[in-house]
Amino acid sequence: MLLTGAEIIMECLLREGVEVMFGYPGGAILPTYDAMTKYPQLHHVLVRHEQGAAHMADGYARATGRVGVAIATSGPGATNLVTGIATAMMDSSPIVCITGQVTRGAIGSDAFQETDVTGVTLPITKHNYLVDDVADLAYIIREAFHIARTGRPGPVLIDVPKDVQNAQTEFIYPEGEIRLPGYRPPTQASQDEVSAALDLINSAQRPIILAGHGIMMADAMAELRELAERAQIPVSLTLLGKGAIPENHPLVTRMMGMHGEAASNYAIQEADLIIALGMRFDDRVTGNIKTYAPNARKIHVDIDASELNKNVKVDVGIAGDVKTVLRQFLPGVKAAQHPQWIARIRDWQEDSSERDVLQVGAESKLLSAQVINDLWHFTEGNAVTITDVGQHQMVEAQYYPHQRPSTLITSGGLGTMGFGLPAAIGAKFGKPDEEVWAIVGDGGFQMTLCELATAVQENVNINIAIINNAFLGMVRQWQEFFYEERYHATPMISPDFCKLAEAYGIPSMRVTSREQVEESVKFARSINGPKLIEYVVEKEEIVYPMVPAGADLHNMIRRPKPGEEVKS
Amino acid sequence: MSEQSSEKFTIAALVENKPGVLNRVASLFRRRNFNMDSLTVGRTHRPFVSRMTIVVDGARTDARRIAANLYKLVNVIDVKVVSQEPHVSRDLALIKVRSDDADSRNALTLLCERYPARIVDIGAKYAIVEITAPEDVVEAMIRELDPIGIVEMVRTGVVAMGRGTRILDTEYVPQLTNSKNGNHQAYSV
């Protein structure tokens, strides 16, 4: 069958199981947009800025585990994708971006809307392609999806010159094995590695598991739980690891790191064994690397061999699929109890709950922790939440416990403000039957608020919760702690968010007191389509605890207990 | 004599012979802040495979970490730290030296007897000396040539190969597509 390059793109997307594409047309991608008219089963979502398309593809991918697709034109269309691609790269999210390029003959001539997109995206993609011949296109698309979703997932970009989209060739879909000699993701541990790890696990007195995003990407939740329960090993979670095990599980110490639970951080520092599974010892997780977990032997399992011994030197480093490796471990894991160790963690948790802002904060003002904890309560802890970046993100991590995998979608590695709203739109396309809440700050929301129009045009049933403190709150917090309260460039004047919503035709509600939070959830649930709720909260809240950047993990700034002196 | 000073590592990488692969490797070293001493790339006996030899400063970066990162690149077929095991390494230099009097010409001739080097071009003013040797031997000769008067120099960078049965090779044949002019060929991306 003789097809154009543009039609081949559509045929291949169909065969990859794609159901929705997020994109924005333009000159160099127009043949592909024209071909879309022949493929109505591939739904195209018109975004308002290409960054939104990449974040939507990312949100879709994280919600479903399937590959998200973003499409943009050459030049500015493609460069606008860059932040979204870098976000997906840092958080190992499988997306495929298809960009138009100027015709082959014009490449290198500084043609209108020409950018060296494969050059620009080389360091922020898992792999990328510039298609030189229409006969290669089907192979490349198939490879791209394979690379994006296997091993350590990540973004792949395919740059397709306009004349390649127009060129015709005999379309034969490449069936059979994909031949990529330099691409062999590791699978399992060697027998030596398994026994070395088991020796450490079975002899540990104060073990702790650090569970990351990889647990969910490898679908290893059951194996993780089995390991933790059988050997009674406490489990601490990375931000992206939330959902790897139900957070109300008695062995779970919840989040670790800069704004993690004090109990997690103290436990890591006192542990005699760390079992790190599908996580990468990010600096936000370790604090000062020189004093990190000084008493612990370390086992590290990750699908990416280059992560082993990168930040933290480990005793047993295993490059492999964490589900496969845990299944290799489990037959040799002996049942154990660590009553003293677990009691010690309980004491830290007791101390934390005495400091909890929900206990302490009997103030008249509405606090973001109250809002988010009430949202958790009234959504039965069952929503898919997508956050932006900043204080509200950390408050979500602390006050919205997640019971199911892939129900928190957040930009962890890159910390991309503006991620929340578009990622929520993408997530809702992936999980249409779930209740989706975008929890965003007033700062990040304004970076991508143009996607409100996308939500309206597609009637995406999402709840947009703006936690408005009239500050770039996290930066303000740093200024308070480390820059002597010089609040420069952090106070924010925002539009009237409810009027803004009205302009888009979006129903809205403003919440200024705690009593209204329950009502706001009822309001949100009463409307099918996007709706916006502004929660006007205390301006100068602080997210506790906090490990200052580069400080020792156990040297946290804690919220004072009632009656304690406030640190000046 | 050791083939190389101890803090340097030599890594050999088999890569797909496609445009942009050198760029990917160079970009990796830049963005991971790995320090590269030299990089050479050339074809192998297999039409679709090129081979790179990369010398890195091991005092600054762990060679295994570099190898793991190289291996992550889709176009890199195989990686080996050849300097961990017995190997042969060679650097080639062309050095243009003053040769405008009897003393300088005599000195050059004597040096070329002591080093694996030869004079490949000689004129009234300058001679070109070619040396092919391990890197430190090349360095030593350059030090001895310096007093005579070096006016120009070019070096290939180190190439290396494991001794004996240590073979770094691949059976790789790429996916062949029904490409240009109906000929089956490896696609070029």
Side-chain angles (χ1 to χ4, degrees):
Chain A
M1 189 171 36
L2 213 55
L3 292 184
T4 66
E7 289 163 343
I8 289 171
I9 292 173
M10 295 299 123
E11 290 285 344
C12 290
L13 293 185
L14 275 179
R15 285 167 172 80
E16 295 296 340
V18 174
E19 50 193 15
V20 59
M21 314 168 280
F22 306 94
Y24 204 104
I29 194 73
L30 263 178
T32 296
Y33 271 79
D34 190 52
M36 284 177 198
T37 59
K38 294 179 200 157
Y39 296 85
Q41 61 275 55
L42 285 166
H43 181 62
H44 178 266
V45 175
L46 175 65
V47 300
R48 293 300 181 273
H49 185 288
E50 290 87 349
Q51 182 187 347
H55 288 328
M56 285 178 210
D58 188 349
Y60 175 91
R62 296 193 206 201
T64 61
R66 298 199 293 272
V67 179
V69 176
I71 301 184
T73 192
S74 64
T79 56
N80 278 346
L81 290 173
V82 164
T83 302
I85 296 173
T87 305
M89 183 71 174
M90 282 291 256
D91 289 346
S92 310
S93 182
I95 66 172
V96 167
C97 298
I98 298 171
T99 50
Q101 181 56 277
V102 301
T103 56
R104 280 167 293 181
I107 289 177
S109 71
D110 301 322
F112 177 65
Q113 293 194 327
E114 183 190 355
T115 301
D116 172 15
V117 173
T118 41
V120 167
T121 59
L122 192 146
I124 53 163
T125 48
K126 187 173 172 186
H127 196 55
N128 64 20
Y129 298 88
L130 172 60
V131 184
D132 185 49
D133 190 312
V134 69
D136 304 340
L137 194 51
Y139 291 89
I140 288 172
I141 295 172
R142 191 151 175 263
E143 271 184 25
F145 274 81
H146 176 72
I147 291 170
R149 75 162 80 90
T150 54
R152 180 178 180 173
V156 179
L157 181 137
I158 310 169
D159 201 23
V160 192
K162 189 174 185 179
D163 56 330
V164 173
Q165 297 169 49
N166 281 324
Q168 286 194 320
T169 191
E170 190 64 30
F171 174 63
I172 304 158
Y173 188 68
E175 306 281 356
E177 202 189 345
I178 295 172
R179 240 189 292 168
L180 283 166
Y183 184 72
R184 294 182 296 264
T187 52
Q188 57 179 21
S190 71
Q191 216 30 255
D192 286 352
E193 289 167 340
V194 172
S195 16
L198 285 175
D199 284 349
L200 292 178
I201 293 170
N202 288 330
S203 62
Q205 300 301 310
R206 300 185 307 280
I208 185 164
I209 294 169
L210 312 185
H213 195 190
I215 294 287
M216 287 176 281
M217 288 193 289
D219 187 25
M221 285 78 73
E223 289 78 7
L224 166 67
R225 196 166 170 164
E226 171 77 28
L227 170 66
E229 287 177 351
R230 189 182 316 159
Q232 286 294 298
I233 305 174
V235 181
S236 179
L237 303 167
T238 67
L239 174 63
L240 266 61
K242 278 168 68 79
I245 185 168
E247 279 193 270
N248 62 359
H249 191 287
L251 284 168
V252 172
T253 68
R254 308 197 57 209
M255 192 166 73
M256 66 182 95
M258 182 175 273
H259 294 291
E261 298 296 324
S264 291
N265 292 346
Y266 289 139
I268 289 165
Q269 295 299 80
E270 286 199 9
D272 68 351
L273 175 66
I274 279 178
I275 308 163
L277 305 173
M279 57 83 74
R280 60 181 178 89
F281 294 108
D282 179 89
D283 57 276
R284 288 300 192 260
V285 151
T286 62
N288 182 0
I289 211 89
K290 293 194 177 76
T291 59
Y292 180 71
N295 309 305
R297 306 292 292 273
K298 298 172 187 81
I299 301 168
H300 189 187
V301 183
D302 199 282
I303 191 119
D304 181 351
S306 76
E307 289 295 347
L308 306 175
N309 294 304
K310 182 181 83 174
N311 296 336
V312 171
K313 296 279 171 251
V314 297
D315 300 275
V316 182
I318 299 173
D321 172 73
V322 70
K323 185 187 185 85
T324 310
V325 174
L326 282 179
R327 284 188 168 182
Q328 290 178 280
F329 284 179
L330 281 171
V333 174
K334 293 187 183 127
Q337 304 285 334
H338 306 286
Q340 285 178 321
W341 174 230
I342 286 168
R344 183 144 175 77
I345 291 172
R346 290 274 172 277
D347 288 346
W348 287 320
Q349 288 172 326
E350 283 291 312
D351 176 74
S352 290
S353 64
E354 286 173 33
R355 298 167 190 269
D356 192 324
V357 69
L358 296 180
Q359 310 296 325
V360 178
E363 298 171 37
S364 55
K365 284 179 177 160
L366 185 60
L367 303 177
S368 59
Q370 295 170 335
V371 171
I372 288 168
N373 202 242
D374 287 356
L375 285 179
W376 167 77
H377 180 75
F378 294 118
T379 58
E380 296 88 37
N382 215 17
V384 175
T385 63
I386 295 90
T387 78
D388 216 88
V389 168
Q391 282 187 319
H392 72 277
Q393 180 189 30
M394 293 298 109
V395 173
E396 201 285 346
Q398 294 179 347
Y399 290 96
Y400 200 114
H402 288 264
Q403 309 307 326
R404 296 181 297 146
S406 306
T407 54
L408 168 62
I409 294 171
T410 188
S411 170
L414 198 67
T416 308
M417 285 177 69
F419 174 79
L421 174 60
I425 294 171
K428 183 68 185 179
F429 272 99
K431 284 189 170 166
D433 300 327
E434 300 266 5
E435 181 176 5
V436 172
W437 283 78
I439 300 175
V440 299
D442 45 325
F445 172 68
Q446 290 186 69
M447 285 192 174
T448 50
L449 69 80
C450 54
E451 302 306 342
L452 286 176
T454 309
V456 172
Q457 188 162 345
E458 296 286 335
N459 194 38
V460 185
N461 188 10
I462 54 167
N463 313 303
I464 304 158
I466 303 178
I467 311 296
N468 183 3
N469 61 358
F471 263 109
L472 295 173
M474 189 56 90
V475 182
R476 191 208 61 77
Q477 175 170 337
W478 284 52
Q479 289 172 330
E480 177 173 343
F481 281 159
F482 313 119
Y483 296 91
E484 296 167 331
E485 302 184 18
R486 288 186 294 276
Y487 299 148
H488 177 59
T490 44
M492 266 209 141
I493 291 180
S494 295
D496 180 325
F497 288 122
C498 292
K499 279 190 178 158
L500 179 81
E502 194 188 335
Y504 281 97
I506 293 175
S508 67
M509 178 178 171
R510 178 172 290 121
V511 171
T512 55
S513 72
R514 195 166 179 184
E515 295 72 50
Q516 292 172 281
V517 178
E518 180 175 14
E519 194 191 325
S520 73
V521 175
K522 286 182 181 156
F523 164 76
R525 287 177 167 178
S526 71
I527 294 156
N528 179 20
K531 49 263 163 186
L532 183 152
I533 304 154
E534 177 192 10
Y535 298 88
V536 181
V537 298
E538 161 62 30
K539 286 188 171 182
E540 299 190 13
E541 280 184 77
I542 294 169
V543 181
Y544 289 109
M546 179 178 190
V547 183
D552 309 332
L553 191 60
H554 52 276
N555 284 332
M556 286 166 273
I557 305 174
R558 306 290 308 274
R559 178 182 288 107
K561 284 187 197 179
E564 256 184 22
E565 277 297 301
V566 179
K567 179 181 153 290
S568 59
Chain B
M1 181 169 57
S2 78
E3 292 280 351
Q4 245 170 36
S5 53
S6 58
E7 69 273 20
K8 284 184 181 172
F9 283 93
T10 307
I11 297 170
L14 294 179
V15 303
E16 289 182 77
N17 185 11
K18 287 180 176 176
V21 176
L22 178 61
N23 190 18
R24 288 178 198 279
V25 171
S27 169
L28 169 71
F29 274 72
R30 181 188 50 75
R31 78 174 182 275
R32 293 281 179 197
N33 199 22
F34 297 153
N35 190 32
M36 188 190 286
D37 243 39
S38 73
L39 185 156
T40 66
V41 57
R43 292 168 183 276
T44 65
H45 60 300
R46 299 188 184 274
F48 303 108
V49 179
S50 293
R51 177 158 166 156
M52 292 182 180
T53 310
I54 306 165
V55 179
V56 295
D57 184 350
R60 283 188 42 181
T61 320
D62 178 12
R64 279 167 308 177
R65 228 193 112 203
I66 296 176
N69 273 283
L70 277 171
Y71 195 75
K72 255 172 90 171
L73 296 177
V74 172
N75 301 123
V76 174
I77 300 165
D78 209 348
V79 185
K80 208 165 199 175
V81 183
V82 289
S83 57
Q84 281 172 345
E85 295 188 337
H87 66 288
V88 176
S89 84
R90 289 292 180 270
D91 188 6
L92 185 150
L94 295 177
I95 308 153
K96 191 175 283 181
V97 197
R98 188 177 60 82
S99 61
D100 57 355
D101 57 20
D103 283 352
S104 58
R105 286 193 290 270
N106 281 340
L108 287 178
T109 311
L110 287 172
L111 270 176
C112 286
E113 282 169 12
R114 283 174 40 222
Y115 282 94
R118 58 196 179 122
I119 296 165
V120 291
D121 176 58
I122 190 151
K125 287 191 157 181
Y126 301 111
I128 298 175
V129 176
E130 178 202 305
I131 175 167
T132 306
E135 199 181 10
D136 50 357
V137 178
V138 175
E139 300 286 350
M141 185 174 193
I142 290 166
R143 278 195 299 277
E144 295 207 44
L145 286 169
D146 201 34
I148 304 172
I150 298 174
V151 294
E152 188 181 348
M153 181 165 72
V154 60
R155 290 170 70 171
T156 58
V158 172
V159 293
M161 188 178 275
R163 287 183 184 271
T165 54
R166 296 170 190 84
I167 291 166
L168 180 63
D169 191 19
T170 173
E171 300 286 304
Y172 164 62
V173 177
Q175 192 81 55
L176 296 174
T177 70
N178 188 12
S179 200
K180 288 160 191 151
N181 315 321
N183 296 326
H184 287 270
Q185 67 164 47
Y187 61 84
S188 55
V189 288

